[in-house]
Amino acid sequence: MKVRQNGRIVSVAVIVAVAVNSDGRREVLGLTVGASEAETFWTAFLRTLARRGLRGVKLVISDAHEGLKAAVAKVLHASWQRCRVHFMRNVLAHAGKQGRRVVAARSQWRQVADQIRPKVAKLAALMDAAETDVLAFMSFPKDHRPKIHSTNPLERLNGEIKRRTEVVGIFPNEEAITRLIGAILLEQNDEWAVQRARYMTLQTIAPLSDDPFVKLPAAAA
């Protein structure tokens, strides 16, 4: 976002965290505004969430921002899933025309990497290095995987934020950013809370939850 500071117009980062809670519903965890996306910025944000009571995080999904990745390991001690969509964009940028055709035609990671290795060694090495992070979602329940392999659900929310903030253009101060985006997030959080269908079912959430009440079997009718 663009904001006025000391008579100048500068760009600031707006960070939004969204989660699926132990009830299987999506929830906005928080937002912050800052001048950079360095590790210290991410770490301070995650610690704020932890101080407010965030516990039991199993998986963090994001693009491959090294500062965020380091902060996740330091503060949340959770597994990290590299967004597959962002990774594929990086892959296609490295692949060239010949490599791009191969990558798009295969679903098995190792098979693709080994197939392209003789002709596109740099791309194969990129896939080797990223395999664990891009396939972290595979250790979670099958029903969850379409929803946790990328940041697409968050990108849709970010798209709505951008649509609503572009009308403003330049904000008078950071507080104005927080007020507007905070209102958008509250609106979205309320909508998620009252939706009839859960984002993830209790049956698939229960095996992952640290909450003993979530794990209790349903009473017989």
Side-chain angles (χ1 to χ4, degrees):
M1 304 294 168
K2 293 188 181 300
V3 62
R4 296 185 186 277
Q5 286 184 356
N6 301 319
R8 298 183 299 117
I9 298 174
V10 300
S11 294
V12 294
V14 179
I15 304 303
V16 177
V18 170
V20 179
N21 61 29
S22 58
D23 196 34
R25 298 187 183 279
R26 284 186 287 180
E27 181 179 346
V28 175
L29 299 182
L31 82 152
T32 191
V33 180
S36 99
E37 292 184 72
E39 180 182 340
T40 52
F41 182 49
W42 288 110
T43 300
F45 178 52
L46 295 182
R47 283 177 173 164
T48 298
L49 299 182
R51 285 195 297 271
R52 288 174 44 217
L54 180 62
R55 297 290 185 274
V57 178
K58 304 298 182 183
L59 182 71
V60 176
I61 309 148
S62 74
D63 60 2
H65 192 293
E66 290 302 321
L68 174 55
K69 186 177 178 181
V72 165
K74 182 185 301 181
V75 180
L76 300 179
H77 310 292
S79 299
W80 179 67
Q81 166 68 40
R82 181 173 181 175
C83 174
R84 289 202 321 178
V85 175
H86 283 86
F87 178 75
M88 284 306 300
R89 291 173 186 163
N90 294 339
V91 165
L92 296 178
H94 282 81
K97 291 183 180 179
Q98 182 178 3
R100 189 174 295 127
R101 286 193 296 268
V102 175
V103 171
R106 305 291 182 181
S107 60
Q108 297 299 320
W109 191 277
R110 298 297 340 139
Q111 184 178 354
V112 171
D114 293 339
Q115 184 177 352
I116 65 178
R117 199 176 308 281
K119 294 183 178 179
V120 197
K122 288 185 177 181
L123 177 54
L126 178 65
M127 294 184 68
D128 290 341
E131 181 177 358
T132 299
D133 294 332
V134 178
L135 299 182
F137 73 100
M138 293 298 293
S139 62
F140 288 80
K142 185 177 180 180
D143 292 340
H144 294 186
R145 293 173 191 171
K147 299 174 181 177
I148 63 174
H149 67 66
S150 75
T151 58
N152 280 355
L154 183 56
E155 295 295 343
R156 286 192 285 272
L157 177 57
N158 284 342
E160 177 62 14
I161 290 172
K162 290 177 182 177
R163 185 183 72 81
R164 303 268 289 270
T165 55
E166 281 177 354
V167 177
V168 178
I170 301 171
F171 286 84
N173 49 55
E174 291 185 4
E175 290 75 14
I177 297 177
T178 300
R179 283 194 297 272
L180 176 57
I181 298 181
I184 297 170
L185 294 177
L186 283 171
E187 180 182 296
Q188 180 62 78
N189 194 75
D190 289 346
E191 183 179 325
W192 285 337
V194 300
Q195 283 179 343
R196 188 167 184 176
R198 288 178 167 85
Y199 192 64
M200 294 179 180
T201 66
L202 288 177
Q203 289 81 359
T204 58
I205 283 284
L208 300 175
S209 179
D210 296 326
D211 186 342
F213 294 101
V214 175
K215 294 183 179 180
L216 290 175

